[in-house]
Amino acid sequence: IEANAGSAIDGGNSALSVFACTLDGNTGASTDGVNLGTPAMGENIVNTILSKNGRYGANATLDADSVWTSHCDYFGNATAARNNVAAGPGDSTLDPTFTNRGGGDFSIGTNLAALGYPGVFPATLSTGYLDIGAVQRQCVAVLLFLRTLVGVGL
């Protein structure tokens, strides 16, 4: 979600889960990547890039003990990375080095590669990591594995 005059996601006062998103360049005067308002119990922000937003990457009106963040990247937000939202495991502040931000290509550079939330992949063949953000890298090994799973030839 990019280039809005308002916050990319405005949770108001309801429970909210944000997973594997890229929230970039939402630059109104008081805009955030995620505006949680007064957080409800059990809100999550996971594996998400919150970059270059007008105020905060993630913002809560009150201390948000009920908000869980993990493996997010907060880069270049105008005021600060977070307000009343605690840093979580695997969080970073690295430049995502988007391939072509101005052209809408939000695939990431190598500095965030495989730094996302860890998980077990199909058929429990291995434990690995996703990339942080909405766009996953298209590695040859990954493409071959996925094609094998779905039976698509090369």
Side-chain angles (χ1 to χ4, degrees), residues 1 9 16-23 34 43-50 68-72 116-119 121 129-136:
I1 302 172
I9 298 175
L16 178 70
S17 290
V18 178
F19 183 80
C21 293
T22 298
L23 312 174
V34 177
E43 295 190 296
N44 305 292
I45 305 172
V46 180
N47 214 57
T48 294
I49 297 171
L50 304 103
W68 183 69
T69 67
S70 177
H71 297 82
C72 292
Y117 192 78
F121 290 98
Y129 293 81
L130 299 168
D131 294 333
I132 295 175
V135 181
Q136 300 296 301

Side-chain angles (χ1 to χ4, degrees), residues 67-104:
V67 178
W68 183 69
T69 67
S70 177
H71 297 82
C72 292
D73 184 56
Y74 302 88
F75 176 76
N77 295 291
T79 302
R82 294 169 294 278
N83 181 50
N84 293 324
V85 175
D91 284 355
S92 67
T93 57
L94 299 171
D95 183 345
T97 60
F98 296 124
T99 300
N100 183 0
R101 180 179 183 253

